[in-house]
Amino acid sequence: MLAFLNDLLWGKVLIVLLIAVGIGFTVASRFVQFRYFGRMFRILGASQAFKRDKHGHLSSFQALVLSVAGRVGGGNIAGVAVAITLGGPGAVFWMWVVGLMGMATSFLECTLAQTYKTAEGDGTYRGGPAYYISRGLGRRWNWLAGVYSVLLLLTFGFAFTALQSYSVATSFGDAFGVPVLYSGLGLALLVGLIIFGGIKRIARISEFLVPIMAGGYLLIALVVLALNVTQIPDVIALIMKSAFGLEPAVGGGIGAAIMMGLKRGLFSNEAGLGSAPNVAAVAYVPHPANQGIVQAFSVFIDTVIICSATAFVILLSGVYETGAGVDVAGIALTQAALADHVGEWGRTFVSIALLLFAFSTILYNYYLGENSLNFFSRRNQGLFNAFRVTIVLLVCWGATTDLGTAFGFADVTMGLLAVANLIALIMLFKPGLRILRDFDGQMRNGIEQPVFNAKDHPEMDLDPKSWELEPEDLERAHRALGNTPAGARE
């Protein structure tokens, strides 16, 4: 039954919905992910991206690394290897396609999350699909927001937290011979010390950890590319030919290449699942579209950069031979490929990379679970502490337990999670486009840093405390309107 439901959701329903939303918003937004691609770097390079206002709200950069911590995980290492094994090199091209379209989906959902966020009063915000469903669609859709929050808690808060712990413990045991119980206890202690500090401590840890882990993995990939620079054009040609069935069939031929590329790309970057918007909403930004642009960049980092790094490491190695199949799959293929390039220490490096990726994902999953609880009961510290204790226990339990059946169920709940979010995104296309047009209009008027004034959108039922502008942002807002004299501003 679980296999049937997973095949129905991920093999049919979700692929259609995700591609429809990605392409639909790409066209409706006039290819926003490409129009503002250069601005992604300018936003992150500006002081505004690292700004924490007087209330101590998180910066745009912190929200970015939190979402990268969640997106970048086992799918970037093991998932890419599975896609190549079952779909051939052409699967990589279709991963790129779904990543580029997913950037538009992520822009839409994360912009909406920023727009409909709520202020907590303690220097943090809350937001995400449950919030933009209840505020953006109205009270009659509160049932959908509630269903989404329950699915988010079950899938990310509980199930995937235990799964990541299992992955860390087993990988560490294989690489260094450490018993899984000891790995589980050590991991639970670290996780507990961090999550009891709340979202701000999680953000500080991620701000430090994510650039190191992603940068280290990309560095070793660049070394591999440098060692095989003359073969890179041949690998690119192989990927392109295989994507359109011009190479000997692997597995199911072109159909398998498309299916595996799309599925693994969607699993990896999470665009459309509604998970990243929970994190995108926590940042202080002058305009919702700013964070939408930044979060679109996180999809690019995940799928186009890090997944490509794994793909080139595999395809440039002697381990994988086109059309002949491979003797290893999943993370073992990635380990064997890197070992072929740099020696046996490459296996250990992949295990450590997986450890760091999975650890950061546990922190991300915890926050998603906390955010879903907050939707039902705001500021209930006793409930949050009970959830934190549960997470610590789950990390211990997950490290020592085979969770195969449980995660077949979690795949189903994640599919249902995506369906609920995508239905909401389709119905919120117009508000998303309205916010984008507000941003576009200010850019056309020469405002380098557009500012969002919630008072200009009274019909959207926004939380006014979430959009109390700082003095310098308010000044830019008045300049953007172009009709307020200096005396009135004072």
Side-chain angles (χ1 to χ4, degrees):
M1 179 60 72
L2 289 175
F4 169 76
L5 289 173
N6 273 320
D7 180 63
L8 177 65
L9 283 170
W10 289 100
K12 298 175 178 65
V13 176
L14 276 176
I15 284 182
V16 172
L17 279 175
L18 283 159
I19 293 174
V21 172
I23 294 177
F25 194 75
T26 294
V27 175
S29 67
R30 296 182 295 115
F31 298 86
V32 63
Q33 68 270 48
F34 303 121
R35 286 197 290 123
Y36 287 124
F37 187 80
R39 188 170 179 82
M40 297 175 188
F41 300 93
R42 291 200 298 276
I43 289 175
L44 290 174
S47 60
Q48 195 77 22
F50 300 89
K51 178 179 179 180
R52 301 173 181 84
D53 71 352
K54 64 183 179 182
H55 302 294
H57 295 130
L58 300 186
S59 69
S60 182
F61 179 75
Q62 285 181 312
L64 170 69
V65 296
L66 271 173
S67 63
V68 171
R71 295 186 200 275
V72 176
N76 300 83
I77 299 177
V80 174
V82 170
I84 292 174
T85 302
L86 300 180
V92 178
F93 172 81
W94 296 108
M95 288 183 70
W96 292 338
V97 170
V98 79
L100 293 174
M101 293 302 101
M103 290 171 71
T105 304
S106 187
F107 174 91
L108 172 61
E109 61 184 357
C110 293
T111 296
L112 289 171
Q114 265 289 326
T115 303
Y116 291 103
K117 67 187 178 183
T118 62
E120 290 293 283
D122 63 349
T124 60
Y125 298 119
R126 293 280 182 179
Y131 294 81
Y132 58 65
I133 290 171
S134 62
R135 284 185 172 271
L137 297 180
R139 291 186 176 181
R140 70 181 184 276
W141 288 94
N142 275 353
W143 66 270
L144 182 61
V147 167
Y148 182 90
S149 294
V150 170
L151 290 170
L152 185 69
L153 178 64
L154 290 176
T155 306
F156 286 92
F158 292 140
F160 286 163
T161 294
L163 175 62
Q164 294 295 338
S165 176
Y166 177 78
S167 300
V168 169
T170 53
S171 177
F172 221 56
D174 291 342
F176 305 107
V178 178
V180 292
L181 177 60
Y182 295 160
S183 296
L185 289 172
L187 187 60
L189 177 63
L190 285 175
V191 169
L193 289 173
I194 295 170
I195 66 177
F196 274 92
I199 182 60
K200 291 184 180 180
R201 184 176 296 174
I202 294 172
R204 286 195 297 270
I205 295 297
S206 298
E207 192 175 24
F208 170 77
L209 178 62
V210 170
I212 291 176
M213 73 178 194
Y217 190 71
L218 290 175
L219 180 61
I220 195 67
L222 288 173
V223 170
V224 170
L225 290 175
L227 292 173
N228 300 274
V229 65
T230 58
Q231 299 177 45
I232 292 176
D234 293 335
V235 169
I236 294 175
L238 173 65
I239 290 171
M240 300 303 293
K241 290 178 181 178
S242 299
F244 298 98
L246 302 179
E247 285 289 320
V250 176
I254 184 172
I258 294 173
M259 186 64 67
M260 290 307 302
L262 294 180
K263 287 180 71 174
R264 290 299 145 189
L266 296 173
F267 265 115
S268 178
N269 64 50
E270 297 185 10
L273 291 182
S275 50
N278 292 274
V279 174
V282 305
Y284 174 84
V285 291
H287 198 286
N290 264 48
Q291 197 62 22
I293 292 169
V294 168
Q295 294 297 327
F297 186 52
S298 75
V299 175
F300 184 84
I301 292 172
D302 173 272
T303 307
V304 179
I305 297 180
I306 298 181
C307 285
S308 296
T310 300
F312 277 92
V313 167
I314 293 171
L315 295 176
L316 286 168
S317 74
V319 175
Y320 181 86
E321 294 183 7
T322 307
V326 290
D327 296 326
V328 290
I331 191 168
L333 175 57
T334 309
Q335 288 177 315
L338 189 56
D340 183 65
H341 290 296
V342 300
E344 283 303 307
W345 68 268
R347 298 179 190 273
T348 301
F349 179 87
V350 172
S351 293
I352 293 174
L354 182 64
L355 166 68
L356 294 176
F357 285 3
F359 177 67
S360 68
T361 303
I362 288 174
L363 301 181
Y364 171 83
N365 289 345
Y366 159 76
Y367 178 70
L368 296 184
E370 182 188 284
N371 205 40
S372 64
L373 286 176
N374 186 79
F375 180 74
F376 295 109
S377 180
R378 297 182 66 180
R379 304 178 194 170
N380 188 332
Q381 201 58 41
L383 179 63
F384 289 163
N385 285 335
F387 177 60
R388 288 162 185 162
V389 171
T390 302
I391 290 297
V392 171
L393 294 176
L394 269 175
V395 170
C396 288
W397 177 74
T400 59
T401 307
D402 186 352
L403 303 168
T405 302
F407 293 104
F409 173 77
D411 282 343
V412 172
T413 61
M414 183 167 66
L416 295 172
L417 188 78
V419 170
N421 183 55
L422 290 166
I423 290 172
L425 291 181
I426 290 170
M427 291 191 289
L428 289 169
F429 251 47
K430 287 185 177 179
L433 287 171
R434 179 175 180 176
I435 300 302
L436 175 59
R437 291 188 186 112
D438 180 81
F439 186 85
D440 286 340
Q442 293 187 49
M443 290 289 292
R444 284 194 300 271
N445 290 334
I447 307 299
E448 180 58 27
Q449 293 184 358
V451 174
F452 182 72
N453 193 343
K455 294 178 181 178
D456 295 337
H457 308 275
E459 74 289 350
M460 293 184 72
D461 188 30
L462 305 181
D463 176 20
K465 292 184 179 179
S466 296
W467 293 105
E468 291 179 347
L469 299 176
E470 293 290 288
E472 61 270 29
D473 294 334
L474 187 60
E475 178 69 19
R476 286 202 303 275
H478 289 315
R479 288 204 305 271
L481 291 172
N483 59 5
T484 307
R489 286 201 300 270
E490 293 172 4

